[in-house]
Amino acid sequence: YKNKTIYSFDKKIELLKNAINAVKISWQEGFCELALNRNKLLLESMAQIKKVDLHKELKINFLGEISLDAGGIIREWFTTIFQALEGEKLKLFVVSDTNEFSYIINPFLSHNEENFEYFAFIGKLIVKALFDNITVNICFNKLIYKMILQEQITFDDLVFIDNPLYSSLKNLKETRLFDDPNSNYEQIKDLELYYSVEMKDIYNHMHSLELMEKGREMNVIYLDDFIKKRIYFMIGMYEPFIKVIRDTIYNFIPKDIITNFTSDEFELILNGRPFIDVEEWRLFTEYKEPYSVNHYIIIWFWEIISKLSQEELSNLLLFSTGSGRVPLGGFAALESNRGNIAKYTIESIPYNRGCKNFIKAHTCFNRLD
């Protein structure tokens, strides 16, 4: 496992951008477009992206809608696509049994061509998000990022998929019974811990899976050996699908560049900041005349915004920028799809009595009317 602390985080970002810019095709040389029906969004996206050169700028065209994608629509597309991939319908992922909400790969997922195609598609989505510096909201479990980057999986990583099991094993370690298994053999045997694991499938059916041959009949005497086999078993469940994601990413971005990052850093690059700071949002917002920071409408606006929950703030940000997450560089780093700074902007529009005067958003330019 390589030393990932050789470079500073800023240096790693610089190396990633240089690697991407070396192969990325300028928008001036053309773009690719996905023409999609919202009712068949996922399947049509998967089919059409096979013909797309991911090195080129990508635009999304929702059939039957009048729109021009200058960056906002593709951000919305990313959000909608990942919601579909993580949803219950496909059963690709399940909610992990942990304190923090996240999705882990369905451990009972069939190893068939269709499912592997979904994970290749996920790999392409990650590549495109990195290429175009798009912040996406992927609720992936921490273990997925660690395995993509081939970080060493340890005992503490069990907490990411099965918190009760992790807590139980940690308590057993702290008893120190297993430090001297010969002297404490009878006590250890009374624990009735075997080389097997109980897991529920998506239909809530319980399965007893063996960690080794005749594991259900074999008492655990050496706890570290059990933990080692449990980790190996966990990696084996997910690795075939993770490998598809990993190999897809490496087809576009050199492995040495990607594996510079720690899993925490990589998650931050893709997902942006998890917390929305209203004061930072206000500080980096611009206004079109007659609005200004002291205009009474703007004062009302921020008074209301300051009372919203994080989920409501995320929904507002999604409505007006196409992404519900703040980019790595914060609100000061909001961009258009071509990498130009496009700060959050509020503009006044006329009020027409008797008409439906709705707030409007221009997600391509991060503007609220």
Side-chain angles (χ1 to χ4, degrees), residues 119-138:
F119 284 90
F121 180 54
I122 289 171
K124 289 181 179 179
L125 291 173
I126 292 174
V127 167
K128 198 57 186 162
L130 293 173
F131 264 57
D132 292 3
N133 199 25
I134 292 175
T135 301
V136 294
N137 188 8
I138 317 174

Side-chain angles (χ1 to χ4, degrees), residues 238-268:
Y238 306 130
E239 175 59 20
F241 303 105
I242 297 292
K243 185 178 185 302
V244 174
I245 297 176
R246 187 192 304 126
D247 290 348
T248 303
I249 295 173
Y250 293 165
N251 282 337
F252 294 89
I253 304 173
K255 175 182 177 180
D256 285 346
I257 297 297
I258 292 295
T259 54
N260 276 330
F261 295 99
T262 66
S263 53
D264 289 336
E265 290 169 341
F266 193 63
E267 182 180 7
L268 186 60

Side-chain angles (χ1 to χ4, degrees), residues 108 195-200 205-211 215-216 233:
F108 296 98
Y195 281 92
S196 62
V197 60
E198 306 296 315
M199 297 183 68
K200 287 182 180 179
H205 298 150
M206 187 65 75
H207 298 262
S208 178
L209 306 174
E210 293 184 317
L211 303 183
R216 294 188 194 91
F233 178 79

Side-chain angles (χ1 to χ4, degrees), residues 105-235:
I105 297 169
N106 178 0
F108 296 98
L109 191 63
S110 299
H111 291 196
N112 57 42
E113 184 177 352
E114 180 182 2
N115 287 332
F116 285 126
E117 281 192 11
Y118 280 120
F119 284 90
F121 180 54
I122 289 171
K124 289 181 179 179
L125 291 173
I126 292 174
V127 167
K128 198 57 186 162
L130 293 173
F131 264 57
D132 292 3
N133 199 25
I134 292 175
T135 301
V136 294
N137 188 8
I138 317 174
C139 295
F140 282 173
N141 187 280
K142 185 76 70 179
L143 187 70
I144 292 178
Y145 293 108
K146 295 197 73 165
M147 291 184 66
I148 288 174
L149 297 175
Q150 295 178 288
E151 292 182 358
Q152 185 172 8
I153 307 301
T154 66
F155 166 66
D156 287 335
D157 293 317
L158 285 174
V159 74
F160 296 130
I161 64 159
D162 193 334
N163 191 46
L165 174 65
Y166 171 76
S167 298
S168 176
L169 292 175
K170 188 176 181 182
N171 289 337
L172 283 177
K173 286 171 73 74
E174 290 172 352
T175 65
R176 308 193 71 85
L177 272 177
F178 293 87
D179 289 359
D180 188 358
N182 293 324
S183 300
N184 301 320
Y185 178 77
E186 290 302 324
Q187 288 176 275
I188 291 173
K189 191 174 180 181
D190 288 342
L191 293 173
E192 296 185 345
L193 180 62
Y194 301 95
Y195 281 92
S196 62
V197 60
E198 306 296 315
M199 297 183 68
K200 287 182 180 179
D201 62 23
I202 55 174
Y203 303 106
N204 218 30
H205 298 150
M206 187 65 75
H207 298 262
S208 178
L209 306 174
E210 293 184 317
L211 303 183
M212 59 188 294
E213 189 176 353
K214 296 183 178 180
R216 294 188 194 91
E217 305 167 17
M218 190 172 296
N219 281 97
V220 174
I221 304 301
Y222 301 98
L223 188 61
D224 287 342
D225 181 58
F226 173 82
I227 291 172
K228 181 179 178 181
K229 285 182 168 58
R230 180 64 181 88
I231 291 171
Y232 183 78
F233 178 79
M234 178 178 68
I235 294 172

